[in-house]
Amino acid sequence: GFGELGTRYFLQDALGIAAGLHEYFRNSDIMFMANYAQTVNVIGCIKTTKTAAEFDSTGMPLMLYRQHFGTIPIAVEHQAAPLDISAALTKDKKALTVAVVNPTKDAAQVRLNLSSIKLAGKAQTWVIAGDDPLAYNQPGEPRKVDIRETGATDLAGVVSVKPLSITLWKVAVQ
């Protein structure tokens, strides 16, 4: 399906897209633009049938980061591999965004050291996660890979990230 060279993307591919975005953010001093070519069908992040269209799993992190991740990268130092962690301030510098990709089948605990930034409350939290690394979205069917907004998260202590997940936090700063 999806054309002669059609490719289906899975949850594990969505995690790779998010980790790739983190690499762009870390190197934004030398990368000025990146584009997603072939947007619909074949290798695209939107798949269609004659009667339905759906975001493939790879469309989810692109949408999540576009809507909520900051645009002013902040250097992140961590010893949490294989977790991939990225952070940025929003354009107006009123919020900090932190994202963690967990490519493993185990939940992880992370202690964020944000001592140089004064947080103003709890963070909004969005998660893309699942139990099956081969979960995918099919046009005309309920999404198996989706963005879910969860409860407010206190970033001052230890935070948890689900297995096979992308977690994005956005918190106001003073």
Side-chain angles (χ1 to χ4, degrees), residues 41 49-50 60 80 87 95 114 121 158 171 173:
N41 289 332
T49 64
K50 290 183 190 237
M60 295 299 151
L114 302 172
V158 173
V171 59
V173 294

Side-chain angles (χ1 to χ4, degrees), residues 4 17 22 26 30 35-36 55 61 64-65 67 84 89 96 100-101 103 110 113 120 140 159-160 167-168 173-174:
E4 194 174 314
I17 291 286
H22 290 190
R26 282 191 279 274
I30 57 172
N35 297 301
Y36 193 110
F55 281 101
L64 175 64
Y65 283 76
Q67 291 173 349
D84 192 316
L89 290 171
L96 169 71
V100 178
V101 177
V110 179
N113 178 355
V159 292
S160 298
T167 304
L168 192 155
V173 294
Q174 294 178 347

Side-chain angles (χ1 to χ4, degrees), residues 74 89 94-98 112-123 153-157 159 169-174:
I74 295 175
L89 290 171
K94 291 184 178 179
L96 169 71
T97 59
V98 178
L112 302 175
N113 178 355
L114 302 172
S115 58
S116 61
I117 298 175
K118 186 159 179 150
L119 305 181
K122 292 187 175 183
T153 303
D154 184 356
L155 297 184
V159 292
W169 295 290
K170 183 177 187 179
V171 59
V173 294
Q174 294 178 347

Side-chain angles (χ1 to χ4, degrees), residues 67-102:
Q67 291 173 349
H68 300 292
F69 199 74
T71 58
I72 304 169
I74 295 175
V76 174
E77 295 178 15
H78 72 88
Q79 293 81 38
L83 301 183
D84 192 316
I85 304 172
S86 190
L89 290 171
T90 54
K91 185 177 181 179
D92 61 9
K93 298 183 180 174
K94 291 184 178 179
L96 169 71
T97 59
V98 178
V100 178
V101 177
N102 180 3

Side-chain angles (χ1 to χ4, degrees), residues 124-172:
Q124 286 179 278
T125 307
W126 296 270
V127 178
I128 299 170
D131 299 329
D132 181 3
L134 299 179
Y136 61 90
N137 294 340
Q138 177 72 24
E141 295 179 12
R143 285 182 182 164
K144 294 178 184 159
V145 179
D146 204 357
I147 301 165
R148 290 186 171 64
E149 187 167 359
T150 63
T153 303
D154 184 356
L155 297 184
V158 173
V159 292
S160 298
V161 291
K162 293 179 180 232
L164 300 172
S165 69
I166 302 161
T167 304
L168 192 155
W169 295 290
K170 183 177 187 179
V171 59

